[in-house]
Amino acid sequence: MFYNLIYFNENLYDTYYAFASAGQAVEFKEIESQTDKGAQLGFDSTQIGLGKSSVIKGEIISNAPSKLISLERSLVHNDYFVDFEAGDAFREIEDLSRRMIFRATLPLKIHEAFDMYEVTRLMKSKLLDAGLMGSTSDDADLFNMVFDFDKVKLPVYNNDMDTLIFSKLHRDCLLIEENEFDELEEDNIVLAKVKKTYDGAVTLFDPLKDFMNLDSNTRKIMESDIGGHKQLQPIYHDTNAIEVEIIAIYT
């Protein structure tokens, strides 16, 4: 089986592989193989052993595709795993409950209300207005701390069914470039765990919580001063929804 990985969250893999393997996850660092070839040379009752041994050492390959294969194999016979690729149609997703892991073909869209660079610009402006950040180059470290682009979470969702499915992708887990984000909308296979189910209104994404590394006091100051900036306001959906943690996306 060959995987073209688009997204892989190694932290989630570590967590769920340990559970799926009954806590017996082992990471092998070295393989040792020894082969003995020998013969006996003897005169009457005197025997001399002549032998030859060789040792082959190397590391087990441990990359994202091999880890994904290991996780999926460990999940096959678990009651909390549902494989919509091999069994029921994905329309039965409403039967999923919290803590379950599933695999399914699931196109994902980045919400149109989310513009990473526009949000960054507005956030910086608000921080300046609130006196929480200066305008000189001395504030570059603070700016980089608040806006850690590698750790940005992208709001993705699928509303093709009666139940909205949504998640937040960690940007540092994406294995594609920014100009390839539209690949998420294709018929990719998603391996994910159900985090929470909602009946009715749900917050799909909150820029002040999901986009920035702010303490609660700073966030409250900015919440009171968002004004009419749509990009800084939470994205709501009034529908039944399932929030998932995405472990991997691949084709």
Side-chain angles (χ1 to χ4, degrees), residues 122-134 217-225:
L122 292 171
M123 289 283 197
K124 184 177 181 181
S125 174
K126 288 299 179 184
L127 287 169
L128 289 169
D129 293 343
L132 299 170
M133 180 181 289
N217 289 332
T218 304
R219 191 164 62 241
K220 287 178 182 177
I221 293 172
M222 293 192 67
E223 283 175 346
S224 64
D225 194 37

Side-chain angles (χ1 to χ4, degrees), residues 28-143:
F28 294 97
K29 290 296 186 182
E30 192 174 79
I31 305 170
E32 181 172 311
S33 175
Q34 183 164 324
T35 304
D36 290 311
K37 296 179 181 178
Q40 296 290 331
L41 178 63
F43 300 93
D44 298 326
S45 60
T46 303
Q47 299 288 331
I48 301 173
L50 301 177
K52 183 179 181 182
S53 65
S54 62
V55 176
I56 302 171
K57 293 185 177 181
E59 283 193 10
I60 286 183
I61 297 174
S62 181
N63 53 31
S66 66
K67 288 183 175 182
L68 176 58
I69 291 170
S70 296
L71 176 58
E72 290 189 337
R73 285 177 177 170
S74 69
L75 289 169
V76 170
H77 299 296
N78 282 289
D79 292 337
Y80 53 79
F81 176 61
V82 181
D83 189 357
F84 292 108
E85 289 298 299
D88 297 332
F90 196 37
R91 295 285 173 181
E92 305 300 322
I93 189 172
E94 62 270 12
D95 294 333
L96 289 176
S97 60
R98 191 179 173 191
R99 299 186 183 89
M100 296 187 78
I101 293 178
F102 68 91
R103 186 174 71 156
T105 297
L106 186 66
L108 295 168
K109 294 177 281 189
I110 296 177
H111 201 281
E112 59 275 6
F114 178 77
D115 182 328
M116 183 165 57
Y117 296 101
E118 180 64 10
V119 169
T120 303
R121 186 186 70 79
L122 292 171
M123 289 283 197
K124 184 177 181 181
S125 174
K126 288 299 179 184
L127 287 169
L128 289 169
D129 293 343
L132 299 170
M133 180 181 289
S135 56
T136 67
S137 58
D138 294 336
D139 296 293
D141 290 340
L142 175 59
F143 180 79

Side-chain angles (χ1 to χ4, degrees), residues 84 90-91 93-94 96 102 104-109 155-168 190 192-194 196 198 202 204 237 239-246:
F84 292 108
F90 196 37
R91 295 285 173 181
I93 189 172
E94 62 270 12
L96 289 176
F102 68 91
T105 297
L106 186 66
L108 295 168
K109 294 177 281 189
V156 294
Y157 71 104
N158 179 289
N159 60 349
D160 296 336
M161 295 165 283
D162 295 334
T163 301
L164 176 77
I165 304 166
F166 73 100
S167 185
K168 300 177 184 73
V190 172
K193 174 187 167 290
V194 177
K196 192 173 181 180
Y198 298 85
V202 60
L204 185 66
H237 272 270
T239 182
N240 292 338
I242 297 178
E243 182 178 5
V244 302
E245 295 176 311
I246 295 179

